[in-house]
Amino acid sequence: MLKLVALTKSVPGGRTLFHDLDLTLEAGHVIAIMGESGVGKSTLLNLVAGLDTADSGAVLFEGADLGTLDDDARTALRRDHLGFVFQAFLVLPHLTVVQNVALPLVLKRTPGEVALQAALRSLEDVGLEGRGDDFPRQLSGGELQRVAIARALIHRPKLLLADEPTGNLDPETAARILEVFSRQVRQQGASVILVTHSEVAAAIAERTYRLTPGGLVCL
Ligand SMILES: Nc1ncnc2c1ncn2[C@@H]1O[C@H](COP(=O)(O)OP(=O)(O)OP(=O)(O)O)[C@@H](O)[C@H]1O
Ligand SMILES: [Mg+2]
């Protein structure tokens, strides 16, 4: 469902993060990507999401080359088929929890009441029933992370990109969130790229890679 072909990316200043990187992800599979801080993991996810462009190479999503799509088509693809759990959760502070979760559907112009009901169900799925009217500042780090997961999965994306979804959490909370995460992913049959520093988190993946300056190494 996703194919990266000979991707090359350098950062301003000239350092090459990766060169001729290839990767294939099958539908319904979970892969983990580990690697040192600064090696380019988040950059790679941004390329897959079409939020950044490579120097050369191609990102093929279900056969469509992201590089040949115009901005509108790329935005539509992201909105309809991708979910993203960002490294810094990006929960919007002025929206309530349920409004945050409903956001992907609201952006797709889903009728308000339908979006609300779906968001409430999604909150229940991650064990946050009853917290919908709270504001993000009233939630703990682990609860916020579950809001981010509920939001990323509400529109049942085909591909979920998760950047350190259990970073900054104590091991117990992290384990609980991983359980929620993998259950949801498997129920929805989504494919996942999970970027993580944690061996425990990587264990939910079918395959684990290490991103190094020399390329992706299968562990
Ligand atoms: N817009 C930019 N301009 C210049 N350098 C950048 C830019 N974006 C990223 N970088 C650099 O690219 C490198 C890779 O960054 P990236 O965020 O992908 O690393 P990472 O592997 O996700 O690290 P971490 O594990 O700390 O999240 C870093 O050295 C970073 O400083
Ligand atoms: Mg990162």
Side-chain angles (χ1 to χ4, degrees):
M1 65 108 49
L2 179 76
K3 233 176 154 68
L4 308 183
V5 187
L7 271 192
T8 296
K9 176 74 180 172
S10 18
V11 288
R15 184 164 63 98
T16 301
L17 293 181
F18 32 84
H19 181 76
D20 280 353
L21 180 145
D22 296 315
L23 179 69
T24 301
L25 175 60
E26 317 286 345
H29 277 223
V30 178
I31 62 168
I33 297 182
M34 306 185 77
E36 277 177 34
S37 177
V39 79
K41 304 179 299 298
S42 297
T43 305
L44 185 61
L45 286 192
N46 285 335
L47 291 177
V48 171
L51 295 169
D52 194 357
T53 47
D55 304 336
S56 61
V59 178
L60 306 173
F61 182 79
E62 302 207 309
D65 183 342
L66 286 194
T68 65
L69 300 179
D70 62 22
D71 275 354
D72 286 351
R74 253 200 311 274
T75 303
L77 187 146
R78 244 193 330 265
R79 188 188 58 207
D80 294 339
H81 300 307
L82 289 193
F84 211 136
V85 181
F86 289 93
Q87 195 162 9
F89 326 146
L90 291 188
V91 171
L92 303 176
H94 301 296
L95 297 183
T96 63
V97 162
V98 73
Q99 286 168 341
N100 265 287
V101 173
L103 206 55
L105 293 182
V106 172
L107 293 176
K108 286 175 72 168
R109 303 185 189 287
T110 305
E113 186 57 26
V114 176
L116 174 68
Q117 291 307 324
L120 290 173
R121 266 199 311 278
S122 208
L123 279 173
E124 218 175 288
D125 289 339
V126 298
L128 287 177
E129 55 277 356
R131 303 300 300 272
D133 292 332
D134 288 351
F135 282 90
R137 65 172 179 280
Q138 296 168 275
L139 273 59
S140 73
E143 288 165 345
L144 281 177
Q145 196 53 306
R146 281 184 279 160
V147 171
I149 291 168
R151 180 181 56 189
L153 287 166
I154 192 174
H155 60 310
R156 300 186 166 263
K158 290 181 181 164
L159 176 61
L160 184 70
L161 305 174
D163 202 348
E164 278 289 352
T166 55
N168 312 314
L169 298 176
D170 65 85
E172 245 169 61
T173 310
R176 206 148 35 85
I177 285 171
L178 272 176
E179 215 179 282
V180 168
F181 184 71
S182 40
R183 189 180 64 230
Q184 284 292 296
V185 158
R186 285 177 212 288
Q187 273 174 10
Q188 296 194 6
S191 307
V192 182
I193 302 181
L194 171 67
V195 165
T196 183
H197 288 294
S198 148
E199 304 272 353
V200 178
I204 71 164
E206 269 114 14
R207 249 178 311 154
T208 301
Y209 296 91
R210 177 173 300 282
L211 182 60
T212 71
L216 270 182
V217 181
C218 195
L219 297 180

